[in-house]
């Protein structure tokens, strides 16, 4: 109607409004604007609009009815057309997630100081990753009744992992430790039946649950439940309710807990958990481990891959560790992080002033946040899942008028002044290999060739083959070390890190601590958010606990 009104499309016999006609000049001289508005013109355009309005209504209703959960249930029960229904579900879900992926990727681009065109590659990759996660969920077979049987693995090989031969007894809990990149996640994926069919990795050997082969995804998905390190991509968007000012929805821990609860509804025979302690605060982790013990008493085999086994005190579990591709009994002893701090060689005058206003977070409100830091000072932010640690770090990195660096107002994002390393770093990578990523970082930050690689090698010790692998194919811990090196290449005056030790083994944590102390000596202040209280106390000069979070819904009810 508006289009017709502007471009003289409402003329007729019964004139309601007579406006002067405006004709454009030059190459647009054939275009006329405004003119007569008649009753016949309005009715004519209403008739033209009806088919479009009906199409929008019909397809809108279909998209409402054909939800991800509906298609998932339908495809699991349908005798025919399972692949077609799964494809439709993946398409619908992927379309819905494109806007979310774009927002996350563009935000990461600004934080890293990359060019606008660099967002295209990670946007495509994020869409593919989400589609793959959705495909895994939709392609699962309908859950079968629980089988109380041992999990038997014979001569399992996946790449450099193996050979592994082991029996996980029914009704027992097993905790697998090992260095960053040792293959813990790969082993869980193999037991879940995902390795060959969905990740395209060649697998040899046998995996059995009683008489059922777990090498088949159809069998494995009906009897096992797997919660990966970052389950957000596989959870329907409708379940990730709420969002903070950045639109990121549930926190990592809240999403992990939600995925855990959803997997339990499938009544699994085998429960696989990847790095729960990295996602959950101490209270939530205790609840999860208590639930695992209850499930074990019912005959469920629980297998957990984890670095932070210090949080598992009291858990009745059998411990294993992965080393050189072999699964060995016992636990990898943690190397203590050196606590003694080095004497700094820089001044100690106040360099950072932060005064954030009240921030809305889902159905809660984060109270105004104040923090002052001297040169080279390190502060740790701790708190329960969903308390706002991530939101505060992002607010600092994008501040407009509430952060001052050496007395100058900071307008972000600008990684040369304030650099943020988020908890999920996949959006930071824009090239096809680790080597290319390190070389590009030198150019983006305008530093000497090899500067970023030197920083990276001070954090982790990757295999030689890792340098030709795609960054997203690296372990979570190695990805985190890479993102940290990328941001340090900017030589910022304030470095922000969100859960910097998740996915890192004890040795890599010690290396990270040593690197941050070196950064500290340059005068750069550091703020990091973490669940690891031992790491926080051993490294930070001051610790801020986010406990004063107000629930607005509760306040309204009280009033």
């Amino acid at each position: 109607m508006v289009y017709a009104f502007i471009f003289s499309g409402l003329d007729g016999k019964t004139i309601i409004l007579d406006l002067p006609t405006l004709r454009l000049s030059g190459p647009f001289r054939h275009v006329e604007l405004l003119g007569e508005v008649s009753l016949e013109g309005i009715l004519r355009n209403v008739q033209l609009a009806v088919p479009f309005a009906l199409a929008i209504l019909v397809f809108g209703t279909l998209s409402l009815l054909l939800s991800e959960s509906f298609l998932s249930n339908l495809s699991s029960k349908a005798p025919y057309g399972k692949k077609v229904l799964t494809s439709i579900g993946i398409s619908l879900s992927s379309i819905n997630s494109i806007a979310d992926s774009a927002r996350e990727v563009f935000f990461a681009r600004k934080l890293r100081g990359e060019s606008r065109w660099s967002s295209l590659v990670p946007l495509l990759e994020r869409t593919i990753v989400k589609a793959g996660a959705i495909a895994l969920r939709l392609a699962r077979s309908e859950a079968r009744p629980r089988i109380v049987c041992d999990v038997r693995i014979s001569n399992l090989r996946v790449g450099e992992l193996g050979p592994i031969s082991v029996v996980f007894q029914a009704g027992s809990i097993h905790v697998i430790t090992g260095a960053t990149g040792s293959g813990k996640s790969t082993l869980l994926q193999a037991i879940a039946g995902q390795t060959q069919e969905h990740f395209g990795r060649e697998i040899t050997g046998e995996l059995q649950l009683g008489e059922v082969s777990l090498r088949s995804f159809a069998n494995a998905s009906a009897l096992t439940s797997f919660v990966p390190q970052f389950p957000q991509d596989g959870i329907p968007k409708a379940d990730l309710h709420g969002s903070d000012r950045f639109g990121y929805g549930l926190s990592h821990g809240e999403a992990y807990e939600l995925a855990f609860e959803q997997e339990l509804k499938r009544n699994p025979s085998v429960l696989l958990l990847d790095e729960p302690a990295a996602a959950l605060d101490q209270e939530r982790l205790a609840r999860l481990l208590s639930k695992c013990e209850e499930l074990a008493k019912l005959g469920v085999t629980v297998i957990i891959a984890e670095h932070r086994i210090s949080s598992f005190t009291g858990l009745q579990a059998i411990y294993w560790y992965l080393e050189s591709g072999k699964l060995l009994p016992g636990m990898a002893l943690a190397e203590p992080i050196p606590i003694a701090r080095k004497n700094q060689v820089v001044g100690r005058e106040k360099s950072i002033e932060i005064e954030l206003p009240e921030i809305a977070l889902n159905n809660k409100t984060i109270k105004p946040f104040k923090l002052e830091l001297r040169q080279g000072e390190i502060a740790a932010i701790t708190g329960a899942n969903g308390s706002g640690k991530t939101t505060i770090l992002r607010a600092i990195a994008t501040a407009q008028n509430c952060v001052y660096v050496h007395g100058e107002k900071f307008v972000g994002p600008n990684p040369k002044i304030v650099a943020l390393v988020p908890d999920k770093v996949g959006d930071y990578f824009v090239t096809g290999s680790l080597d290319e990523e390190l070389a590009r970082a030198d150019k983006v930050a305008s530093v000497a060739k090899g500067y970023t690689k030197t920083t990276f090698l001070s954090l982790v010790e990757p295999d030689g083959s890792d340098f030709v692998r795609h960054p997203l194919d690296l372990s979570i811990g190695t990805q985190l070390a890479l993102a940290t090196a990328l941001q340090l290449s900017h030589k910022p005056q304030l470095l922000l890190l969100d859960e910097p030790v998740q996915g890192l083994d004890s040795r890599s944590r010690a290396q990270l601590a040593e690197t941050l102390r070196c950064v500290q000596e340059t005068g750069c202040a550091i703020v990091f958010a973490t669940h690891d209280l031992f790491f926080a106390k051993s490294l930070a000069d001051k610790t801020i606990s986010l406990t004063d979070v107000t629930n607005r819904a509760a306040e309204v009810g009280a009033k």
Side-chain angles (χ1 to χ4, degrees):
M1 292 295 293
V2 172
Y3 178 90
F5 171 74
I6 294 174
F7 291 97
S8 303
L10 293 175
D11 57 325
K13 294 182 179 179
T14 309
I15 305 300
I16 299 175
L17 182 65
D18 191 4
L19 298 174
T21 301
L22 301 177
R23 183 181 292 275
L24 300 182
S25 59
F28 304 104
R29 57 183 176 274
H30 60 284
V31 178
E32 292 185 352
L33 305 179
L34 305 179
E36 298 177 344
V37 177
S38 68
L39 181 61
E40 293 84 4
I42 292 174
L43 292 175
R44 181 174 67 250
N45 281 278
V46 166
Q47 291 174 347
L48 290 172
V50 165
F52 294 98
L54 288 175
I56 292 171
L57 181 62
V58 169
F59 284 102
T61 303
L62 283 174
S63 68
L64 179 64
L65 295 175
L66 297 178
S67 63
E68 296 174 37
S69 57
F70 174 81
L71 287 170
S72 179
N73 293 332
L74 187 61
S75 63
S76 64
K77 298 176 182 178
Y80 305 104
K82 182 181 179 72
K83 291 185 177 180
V84 173
L85 291 171
T86 300
S87 299
I88 295 173
I90 294 170
S91 300
L92 288 175
S93 301
S94 298
I95 290 171
N96 289 334
S97 68
I98 286 176
D100 295 332
S101 297
R103 181 176 62 249
E104 294 172 19
V105 167
F106 293 152
F107 182 64
R109 175 191 66 80
K110 293 178 181 178
L111 292 177
R112 190 181 161 183
E114 271 283 1
S115 64
R116 186 178 300 274
W117 293 107
S118 67
S119 301
L120 297 177
V121 171
L123 177 57
L124 176 60
E125 290 174 344
R126 282 289 295 162
T127 303
I128 293 173
V129 168
K130 285 193 173 186
I134 293 165
L136 273 174
R137 189 182 72 251
L138 294 178
R140 291 185 303 184
S141 301
E142 187 174 1
R144 298 181 195 173
R146 180 175 294 158
I147 300 175
V148 181
C149 291
D150 298 344
V151 175
R152 296 182 177 275
I153 301 177
S154 302
N155 296 316
L156 173 69
R157 289 180 183 270
V158 185
E160 297 179 0
L161 179 66
I164 292 176
S165 295
V166 67
V167 176
F168 296 125
Q169 294 181 339
S172 58
I173 301 176
H174 300 264
V175 179
I176 301 173
T177 63
T180 300
S182 59
K184 298 184 299 298
S185 298
T186 301
L187 179 57
L188 296 190
Q189 290 166 358
I191 298 172
Q194 300 176 3
T195 305
Q196 192 156 308
E197 293 188 32
H198 288 272
F199 290 100
R201 302 186 66 183
E202 189 64 32
I203 179 173
T204 60
E206 295 298 327
L207 297 101
Q208 298 282 138
L209 177 62
E211 299 300 320
V212 181
S213 172
L214 297 180
R215 286 192 56 174
S216 163
F217 181 68
N219 291 337
S221 63
L223 296 167
T224 67
S225 284
F226 179 35
V227 182
Q229 291 185 52
F230 288 98
Q232 292 93 321
D233 290 332
I235 299 177
K237 184 180 177 182
D239 292 344
L240 292 171
H241 52 79
S243 63
D244 56 22
R245 57 175 278 195
F246 301 95
Y248 278 76
L250 300 183
S251 70
H252 181 196
E254 290 171 322
Y256 198 98
E257 196 171 39
L258 175 61
F260 176 74
E261 292 170 356
Q262 289 182 342
E263 291 302 323
L264 292 190
K265 293 177 182 178
R266 291 176 60 82
N267 197 30
S269 303
V270 180
L271 178 62
L272 307 167
L273 304 175
D274 200 356
E275 297 279 1
L280 301 173
D281 59 52
Q282 199 61 44
E283 182 180 345
R284 283 181 166 86
L285 178 62
R287 287 204 302 263
L288 179 141
L289 295 179
S290 177
K291 187 63 179 179
C292 288
E293 290 182 323
E294 293 177 15
L295 292 169
K297 292 177 182 178
L298 298 175
V300 177
T301 304
V302 181
I303 305 174
I304 306 172
E306 185 56 71
H307 283 121
R308 289 177 54 192
I309 55 176
S310 59
S311 304
F312 287 23
T313 304
L315 180 68
Q316 298 299 313
I318 301 169
Y319 287 83
W320 307 82
Y321 68 97
L322 276 169
E323 186 174 73
S324 301
K326 306 293 180 60
L327 185 65
L328 305 172
M331 63 178 71
L333 296 177
E335 298 178 16
I337 299 172
I339 296 178
R341 299 185 179 89
K342 296 181 178 180
N343 294 325
Q344 296 180 1
V345 295
V346 296
R348 296 288 287 172
E349 67 271 13
K350 183 170 63 178
S351 61
I352 307 295
E353 296 177 78
I354 300 169
E355 190 168 344
L356 300 178
E358 186 177 86
I359 301 175
L361 176 65
N362 297 333
N363 63 334
K364 300 174 184 178
T365 301
I366 302 176
K367 294 291 187 179
F369 179 86
K370 296 182 180 180
L371 178 63
E372 292 184 354
L373 296 170
R374 294 173 293 177
Q375 277 190 317
E377 194 168 19
I378 300 180
I381 301 176
T382 63
N385 293 128
S387 61
K389 300 186 297 297
T390 294
T391 302
I392 284 177
L393 292 185
R394 287 174 175 158
I396 295 172
T398 58
Q400 299 297 309
N401 57 4
C402 51
V403 174
Y404 289 82
V405 180
H406 293 293
E408 297 290 330
K409 183 186 297 184
F410 168 68
V411 178
N414 184 351
K416 293 187 179 299
I417 300 176
V418 178
L420 169 64
V421 180
D423 62 338
K424 192 172 182 181
V425 297
D427 299 331
Y428 268 38
F429 310 136
V430 298
T431 66
S433 72
L434 172 57
D435 250 340
E436 292 175 6
E437 202 69 49
L438 294 170
R440 183 177 180 85
D442 292 339
K443 295 179 181 179
V444 172
S446 301
V447 294
K449 184 178 180 181
Y451 180 92
T452 309
K453 186 173 184 178
T454 300
T455 304
F456 173 71
L457 292 176
S458 72
L459 296 173
V460 294
E461 298 178 2
D463 293 330
S465 59
D466 284 345
F467 288 99
V468 296
R469 296 175 64 187
H470 193 285
L472 295 180
D473 291 333
L474 302 171
S475 70
I476 297 297
T478 307
Q479 289 184 38
L480 179 63
L482 173 58
T484 303
L486 299 181
Q487 292 299 76
L488 284 176
S489 66
H490 292 286
K491 303 178 182 178
Q493 298 177 59
L494 174 61
L495 178 65
L496 307 173
L497 302 107
D498 197 355
E499 295 292 349
V501 293
Q502 65 179 347
L504 294 180
D505 57 37
S506 57
R507 183 174 182 177
S508 296
R509 293 181 188 204
Q511 288 178 318
L512 174 64
E514 184 62 27
T515 298
L516 293 183
R517 288 194 180 99
C518 293
V519 174
Q520 182 184 27
E521 289 183 354
T522 68
C524 176
I526 301 170
V527 178
F528 66 91
T530 185
H531 294 304
D532 192 328
L533 297 181
F534 175 73
F535 184 82
K537 291 178 181 178
S538 66
L539 186 65
D541 300 304
K542 60 175 63 173
T543 302
I544 304 99
S545 178
L546 295 184
T547 56
D548 189 16
V549 179
T550 303
N551 189 313
R552 275 189 288 177
E555 285 189 339
V556 172
K559 292 178 181 178

